[in-house]
Amino acid sequence: MSYDHDGPLFPSPRGPVSAGVKGYLLDNGPLPRPETVAAADPYGDDLQIALYLSYELHYRGLAGVSPEREWDTDLLRTRAALEHRFLTTLRADTAVHDSVEDALGDLLVEPVEGSGVSHFLREEGELWQVREYATHRSLYHLKEADPHAWVLPRLTGRAKAGMAAVEFDEFGGGRPDRLHARLFANLMTDLGLDTTYGRHVDAASAEMLATVNLMSLFGLHRALRGALVGHFAAVEITSSPGSRRLADAMRRTGAGPAAEHFYDEHVEADAVHEQVVRHDVIGGLLEEEPHLAPDVVFGIEATGHVEDRFAAQLLDDWRAGRSSLRTSQLSEISHIS
């Protein structure tokens, strides 16, 4: 059996479920028992890191794990149980609008007095908080467009063309130096952070892991293609105004030119993407498959739900004067102390 040597290093387990998944991947033990999975907190560290490990086999693999594990039937059975626990809870906890138009309408309305993370960082955030935010978000942005690409073979016509057009921009328009993941790595370099893919999983909270796992969950399942399109719409529509605030935060805190550029780039690009996603991707999908409208709404709402939980965790920690990271000191995850 061959093994990956260059994949990301394993993050530490956070409980019996993730310890069992890690042990199985490294040929050191059995998978967690079904009753152990069923008892895990669907939003908790243990389940979320176990899901992350399972999903990472579909991206760049993990160091010391055979590529054959990607389609290991026993592991897929355990992953399905983890997904069921997470997805069932999301469906129960997510308030769903009556229509796609209503869900999109709420996304397009900016509150007069915003109170989210981008508002906090723009108005009062300090450089250490900007660095923590980048550390968390690296799990998302260093693979940002990859799970969205999985939906392309599941779309047709106008939806496929629109999705491909936006993805082409996300992947740099054919230029490797313009890949959005590369631009985020440049931002991290400005902030003195290690840009190695997967380096900061141990530092990230369960709330952050859930936002990353959500797009993998939607992307990997054809049955959830409508939810993936809804997720994509939520990301693109809310990105431009949020990126404007974050660009201001980068300038105010002296984060560096690459950090400023990453968010400046998204202000302009995602304003265009918003129109394409609304009119071509969603419009084209529902023209071909109108029965997927509730799934699109769920994708929008579930994205907002997990992002709101992540924002609440960050702001609770920062307003209490403590680090939002699971590591004890920021210097542990950076190049500079």
Side-chain angles (χ1 to χ4, degrees), residues 225-299:
R225 62 194 180 280
L228 187 281
V229 167
H231 164 78
F232 193 62
V235 170
E236 296 297 328
I237 290 172
T238 59
S239 175
S240 186
S243 292
R244 190 181 303 278
R245 290 188 289 271
L246 289 168
D248 291 342
M250 299 301 129
R251 277 184 276 274
R252 188 180 63 77
T253 58
E260 296 173 20
H261 176 69
F262 177 81
Y263 289 110
D264 283 334
E265 171 80 8
H266 279 71
V267 171
E268 181 177 348
D270 289 345
V272 176
H273 293 172
E274 172 204 322
Q275 298 297 316
V276 177
V277 172
R278 288 174 57 208
H279 297 295
D280 293 328
V281 182
I282 292 180
L285 175 69
L286 296 183
E287 188 176 83
E288 296 284 339
E289 300 185 275
H291 63 282
L292 292 181
D295 288 345
V296 174
V297 173
F298 171 64

Side-chain angles (χ1 to χ4, degrees), residues 131-132 203 323 325-334 337:
R131 295 179 71 218
E132 286 199 356
S323 171
L325 301 173
R326 297 184 77 255
T327 50
S328 59
Q329 294 181 357
L330 190 59
S331 60
E332 295 176 14
I333 52 95
S334 69
S337 59

Side-chain angles (χ1 to χ4, degrees), residues 136 205 207 308-318 324:
H136 283 291
S205 64
E207 289 81 3
D308 286 348
R309 294 185 79 258
F310 173 55
Q313 179 249 322
L314 287 182
L315 294 176
D316 285 351
D317 285 336
W318 290 345
S324 65

Side-chain angles (χ1 to χ4, degrees), residues 55-311:
Y55 287 146
E56 203 57 37
L57 301 179
H58 299 291
Y59 292 99
R60 304 190 192 183
L62 292 160
V65 176
S66 168
E68 296 173 13
R69 288 293 194 201
E70 181 179 5
W71 301 112
D72 181 285
T73 54
D74 291 332
L75 179 63
L76 290 175
R77 192 175 297 111
T78 296
R79 195 191 84 188
L82 294 167
E83 290 176 328
H84 177 75
R85 187 96 174 94
F86 185 34
L87 186 59
T88 300
T89 305
L90 280 173
R91 291 193 185 280
D93 291 351
T94 299
V96 177
H97 283 79
D98 292 332
S99 69
V100 173
E101 291 74 19
D102 289 344
L104 292 174
D106 272 6
L107 290 180
L108 291 166
V109 175
E110 277 279 292
V112 176
E113 295 184 6
S115 57
V117 172
S118 62
H119 294 87
F120 177 91
L121 291 176
R122 182 186 63 181
E123 300 300 329
E124 57 184 296
E126 299 178 23
L127 187 59
W128 68 270
Q129 292 163 328
V130 168
R131 295 179 71 218
E132 286 199 356
Y133 182 70
T135 299
H136 283 291
R137 296 300 292 185
S138 68
L139 273 66
Y140 182 99
H141 285 301
L142 293 182
K143 63 159 54 101
E144 181 176 2
D146 295 345
H148 301 143
W150 283 326
V151 82
L152 284 169
R154 298 158 183 169
L155 303 177
T156 61
R158 192 154 54 98
K160 182 190 285 281
M163 190 77 185
V166 177
E167 285 284 87
F168 184 65
D169 282 351
E170 296 287 344
F171 289 127
R175 294 175 52 188
D177 61 308
R178 300 292 301 162
L179 283 162
H180 281 202
R182 178 68 258 167
L183 297 180
F184 192 80
N186 294 342
L187 171 152
M188 295 176 73
T189 299
D190 265 6
L191 292 169
L193 298 171
D194 189 335
T195 64
T196 304
Y197 180 88
R199 171 68 176 85
H200 302 300
V201 178
D202 274 332
S205 64
E207 289 81 3
M208 183 64 232
L209 287 166
T211 71
V212 178
N213 287 335
L214 184 74
M215 63 178 182
S216 297
L217 170 65
F218 289 165
L220 281 166
H221 292 272
R222 179 180 174 274
L224 294 173
R225 62 194 180 280
L228 187 281
V229 167
H231 164 78
F232 193 62
V235 170
E236 296 297 328
I237 290 172
T238 59
S239 175
S240 186
S243 292
R244 190 181 303 278
R245 290 188 289 271
L246 289 168
D248 291 342
M250 299 301 129
R251 277 184 276 274
R252 188 180 63 77
T253 58
E260 296 173 20
H261 176 69
F262 177 81
Y263 289 110
D264 283 334
E265 171 80 8
H266 279 71
V267 171
E268 181 177 348
D270 289 345
V272 176
H273 293 172
E274 172 204 322
Q275 298 297 316
V276 177
V277 172
R278 288 174 57 208
H279 297 295
D280 293 328
V281 182
I282 292 180
L285 175 69
L286 296 183
E287 188 176 83
E288 296 284 339
E289 300 185 275
H291 63 282
L292 292 181
D295 288 345
V296 174
V297 173
F298 171 64
I300 293 171
E301 303 286 3
T303 302
H305 178 66
V306 296
E307 289 287 355
D308 286 348
R309 294 185 79 258
F310 173 55

